[in-house]
Amino acid sequence: MSDTEYGMEIKRQSGKTALSIRNVVTGTYDQAVRIFDPYGNEVLSDDVVTGGLARPWLPMLPPQDLGTARRPQTNQTAWTAIARSSNPIFQPKMRIQIVTAAAAGVTGQIRVMVDDVQWGDIVTTPTSFDRTAAITPDFGARFGSTAKIEVQAKVTAGTGLVYAQPLLMYGTQS
């Protein structure tokens, strides 16, 4: 038995690691396959303990309430946050799909904010919000940090409620 580990590493022309099959520390697990971006961030690896994918994490949105009355909502005439999440930035683009609605005789608007900056166009109910675009203009500097995603709504005509239900949100490549 030897303490020497056999493995493989493929480097980029710059000398930075692009792919490795080795353990980072001594252990009894099989060697993990890791792929790195040009900045040294591990963007893909396998789970040597249980199998499957270790990174990236693939979020799964929980089932959403179908009852309009229980959706995020507001009756305010100024922009009001009605849904919020915090998400790690591992991919340069994000896709969000949101269904919107309003009470009878009411018109409203919905917008998405990323770190308090409007992300995409404002939609008027009952138009769905569906956008895929860069999550932030400074992706390289923000890689691995957390972004605050917020759905805001407001009533623009009538008296009653405006609703917005996020149905889909994920990161994607350039």
Side-chain angles (χ1 to χ4, degrees):
M1 186 110 169
S2 170
D3 289 337
T4 305
E5 177 190 4
Y6 293 94
M8 180 182 78
E9 190 169 275
I10 298 174
K11 297 202 177 264
R12 297 176 189 274
Q13 188 173 2
S14 65
K16 295 177 182 175
T17 301
L19 180 134
S20 72
I21 303 174
R22 63 181 179 84
N23 285 320
V24 177
V25 296
T26 304
T28 57
Y29 297 116
D30 287 333
Q31 293 130 320
V33 174
R34 294 180 176 90
I35 297 177
F36 300 87
D37 72 8
Y39 302 97
N41 300 307
E42 184 180 301
V43 295
L44 186 124
S45 61
D46 59 344
D47 185 331
V48 296
V49 177
T50 309
L53 198 58
R55 182 171 288 145
W57 305 322
L58 301 177
M60 294 188 287
L61 189 68
Q64 300 298 299
D65 195 327
L66 297 177
T68 305
R70 294 179 300 272
R71 290 181 181 170
Q73 58 189 271
T74 187
N75 62 1
Q76 302 298 305
T77 57
W79 288 114
T80 304
I82 60 172
R84 181 180 300 132
S85 66
S86 295
N87 297 276
I89 300 173
F90 285 118
Q91 294 165 307
K93 287 187 173 184
M94 174 174 66
R95 179 174 182 209
I96 298 179
Q97 184 181 51
I98 302 169
V99 294
T100 71
V106 176
T107 304
Q109 293 181 324
I110 309 296
R111 70 179 181 180
V112 173
M113 307 291 283
V114 175
D115 292 328
D116 302 317
V117 175
Q118 185 173 316
W119 188 79
D121 295 331
I122 294 169
V123 298
T124 300
T125 58
T127 304
S128 291
F129 183 97
D130 192 347
R131 181 168 197 247
T132 303
I135 188 169
T136 180
D138 57 348
F139 171 73
R142 296 284 310 275
F143 184 88
S145 69
T146 302
K148 178 178 77 171
I149 314 299
E150 192 170 82
V151 178
Q152 296 182 348
K154 69 177 180 177
V155 172
T156 55
T159 302
L161 293 168
V162 173
Y163 309 94
Q165 180 66 57
L167 294 180
L168 175 78
M169 186 169 118
Y170 60 88
T172 186
Q173 77 272 10
S174 299

